[in-house]
């Protein structure tokens, strides 16, 4: 693990670039990596230990902490407006900064607020969950939901810096910790057999630094080649088409306090897209080892209806990502009705 904790990766996007720091204690040393001598809006939610946002605010010359309710329901226009109003009331200008401290919801919301406030101001992402560290904190996708449709209103807005401090995982409930690992299993299946092997044979707690870094390196290489999802970046949607459908029907969101988390839904969504029965069996074994679900009961018609709202579905067609074998993938465009057999429904 020590070989990986202390890693600096650089995302190169043409003339723009930013650093991704994976280092223990980096959150309390943010001032070493970023210019904090300006107005800073620290956006967090009430599920994140308050000391993390305070730790960032204490390093700033002039900061406000904006706390939103925990959960997917905060990715709404209503909450977005409250964030923007607080930024405006704080007197923030074009040279100021938004820092997200929290999981994927906070990162998506704060990043989108930064992208549209005064037509775009600086944004730093400080993920505090495995899911956001491994996946959503890099790549520049920011968004809010519209009704029940996830991430349908958003912008590509790259952060100026990403700070991944594995120490913050110590306060994460175990189920949340495991939930985030589903996206790392995804990276292993798509392109990194060695990463997949860690999940089959190693102690994930001991190897978390390597898991985070390998996952970030994979996503970084994809985003550098296809920033705005014109082609190759679609690979990252592996498991998400069915996963988002399941999440809409059975996910923990809004007033629904029981159900499945995002990573758990993605894990379920990956299984039908694996074409090798032998690999499918290995993946189920990994899920059981980690504590991810291998199956769930759901209303298939409702899940299919949600999948038809997917922003990847156009003109009766949808592009899905299939994995024929470990470490390889392909994109396949099918009629939306072709989703039925993947859900185990009659043609």
């Amino acid at each position: 693990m020590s070989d990986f904790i202390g890693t600096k990766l650089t995302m190169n996007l043409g003339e723009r670039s930013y650093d991704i720091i994976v280092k223990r204690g980096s959150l309390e040393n943010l001032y070493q990596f970023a210019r904090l001598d300006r107005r800073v809006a620290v956006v967090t939610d009430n599920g994140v230990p308050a000391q993390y946002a305070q730790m960032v605010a204490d390093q700033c010359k002039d900061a406000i902490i904006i706390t939103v309710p925990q959960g997917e329901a905060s990715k709404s226009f209503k909450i977005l407006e409250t964030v923007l109003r607080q930024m405006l009331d704080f007197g923030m200008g074009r040279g100021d900064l938004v820092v997200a401290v929290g999981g994927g919801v906070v990162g998506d919301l704060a990043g989108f607020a930064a992208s549209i406030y005064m037509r775009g101001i600086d944004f730093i992402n400080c993920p505090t969950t495995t899911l956001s560290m491994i996946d959503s904190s890099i790549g520049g996708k920011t968004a809010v939901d519209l009704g029940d449709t996830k991430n349908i209103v958003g912008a590509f807005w790259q952060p100026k810096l990403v700070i991944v401090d594995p120490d913050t995982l110590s306060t994460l409930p175990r189920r949340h910790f495991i939930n985030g690992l589903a996206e790392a299993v995804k990276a292993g299946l798509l392109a990194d057999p060695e990463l997949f092997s860690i999940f089959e044979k190693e102690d994930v707690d001991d190897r978390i630094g390597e898991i985070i870094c390998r996952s970030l390196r994979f996503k970084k290489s994809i985003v550098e080649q296809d920033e705005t999802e014109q082609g190759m970046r679609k690979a990252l949607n592996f498991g998400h088409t069915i996963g988002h459908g399941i999440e809409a029907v059975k996910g923990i969101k809004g007033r629904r306090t029981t159900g499945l988390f995002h990573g758990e839904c993605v894990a379920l969504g990956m299984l039908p897209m694996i074409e090798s029965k032998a690999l499918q069996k290995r993946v189920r074994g990994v899920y059981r080892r980690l504590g991810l679900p291998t199956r769930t009961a759901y209303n298939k018609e409702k899940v299919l209806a949600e999948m038809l709202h997917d922003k990847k579905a156009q003109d009766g067609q949808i592009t899905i990502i299939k994995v024929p074998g470990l470490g390889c993938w392909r994109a396949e465009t099918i009629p939306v009705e072709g989703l039925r057999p993947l859900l185990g429904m009659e043609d």
Side-chain angles (χ1 to χ4, degrees), residues 109-341:
L109 176 68
F112 188 45
S115 79
I116 57 177
Y117 186 80
M118 293 195 168
R119 297 191 177 89
I121 65 172
D122 286 354
F123 167 55
I124 291 175
N125 212 337
C126 301
T128 60
T129 65
T130 39
L131 184 61
S132 54
M133 287 182 184
I134 283 164
D135 183 57
S136 63
S137 64
I138 70 168
K141 277 189 174 182
T142 70
V144 294
D145 304 337
L146 185 58
D148 288 331
T149 306
K150 276 178 67 78
N151 301 331
I152 200 72
V153 180
F156 287 97
W157 191 248
Q158 299 291 346
K160 294 293 180 185
L161 173 72
V162 177
I163 293 287
V164 177
D165 185 347
D167 284 347
T168 61
L169 295 177
S170 65
T171 54
L172 199 64
R174 188 68 186 173
R175 188 178 165 200
H176 281 279
F177 178 81
I178 296 299
N179 168 60
L181 294 179
E183 292 282 0
V185 174
K186 178 187 84 174
L189 283 167
L190 289 170
D192 191 341
E194 284 185 49
L195 175 55
F196 187 77
S197 178
I198 291 173
F199 289 114
E200 283 193 300
K201 302 171 186 171
E202 308 284 343
D203 184 320
V204 295
D205 292 86
D206 285 348
R207 304 292 289 273
I208 191 62
E210 183 173 356
I211 289 167
I212 292 168
C213 288
R214 281 187 174 276
S215 302
L216 288 172
R217 280 178 182 152
F218 162 68
K219 183 164 184 180
K220 181 178 92 74
S221 70
I222 294 273
V223 173
E224 285 175 341
Q225 295 172 74
D226 182 17
E227 182 181 354
T228 56
E229 203 172 308
Q230 303 305 307
M232 189 178 221
R233 187 166 178 169
K234 290 176 182 174
L236 300 178
N237 293 322
F238 173 50
H240 284 65
T241 300
I242 293 176
H244 278 167
I246 295 172
E247 190 173 4
V249 174
K250 295 208 64 167
I252 294 172
K253 59 174 194 167
R255 293 181 181 155
R256 197 188 299 154
T257 55
T258 58
L260 297 170
F261 291 132
H262 173 76
E264 294 168 339
C265 296
V266 169
L268 291 167
M270 288 192 284
L271 287 170
M273 302 298 184
I274 300 168
E275 295 178 309
S276 159
K277 293 295 181 195
L279 180 57
Q280 216 176 62
K281 186 176 178 182
R282 288 171 69 187
V283 173
R284 287 183 193 277
V286 165
Y287 288 1
R288 282 191 287 271
R289 198 164 183 259
L290 291 174
L292 286 166
T294 58
R295 57 178 54 85
T296 190
Y298 53 80
N299 183 316
K300 291 176 181 177
E301 287 292 349
K302 283 187 178 177
V303 169
L304 180 64
E306 291 294 340
M307 287 161 67
L308 301 184
H309 289 310
D310 193 302
K311 55 186 180 296
K312 297 179 287 297
Q314 290 184 329
D315 300 324
Q317 305 269 308
I318 190 163
T319 299
I320 58 173
I321 304 300
K322 288 195 168 180
V323 168
L326 183 58
C328 55
W329 60 274
R330 74 171 191 280
E332 192 175 296
T333 301
I334 63 171
V336 289
E337 285 302 306
L339 294 168
R340 285 181 171 273

Side-chain angles (χ1 to χ4, degrees), residues 6-112:
T7 298
K8 182 174 92 167
L9 305 172
T10 302
M11 177 77 80
N12 293 299
L13 299 165
E15 295 176 2
R16 296 165 298 135
S17 67
Y18 59 87
D19 290 336
I20 304 156
I21 309 290
V22 183
K23 188 174 184 180
R24 294 196 182 279
S26 52
L27 194 65
E28 62 185 318
N29 292 293
L30 179 61
Y31 69 93
Q32 295 180 3
F33 308 101
R35 193 169 64 76
L36 303 177
D37 58 341
R38 46 184 165 165
R39 284 191 177 90
V40 179
V42 183
V43 181
T44 189
D45 73 38
N46 59 15
V48 178
Q51 71 258 32
Y52 295 152
Q54 193 60 55
M55 193 183 289
V56 171
D58 287 345
Q59 298 171 65
C60 301
K61 180 182 174 186
D62 194 7
I64 182 176
I65 296 175
I66 300 173
T67 305
V68 303
Q70 183 180 17
E72 183 74 20
S74 282
K75 283 173 57 173
S76 67
F77 282 105
K78 182 180 176 183
I79 299 294
L80 176 65
E81 183 180 355
T82 67
V83 171
L84 293 168
R85 284 190 179 279
Q86 287 179 76
M87 289 165 61
L88 184 62
D89 291 344
F90 186 44
M92 293 183 71
R94 278 194 170 156
D96 293 328
L97 172 68
V98 173
V99 180
V101 180
V105 168
V106 170
D108 278 4
L109 176 68
F112 188 45

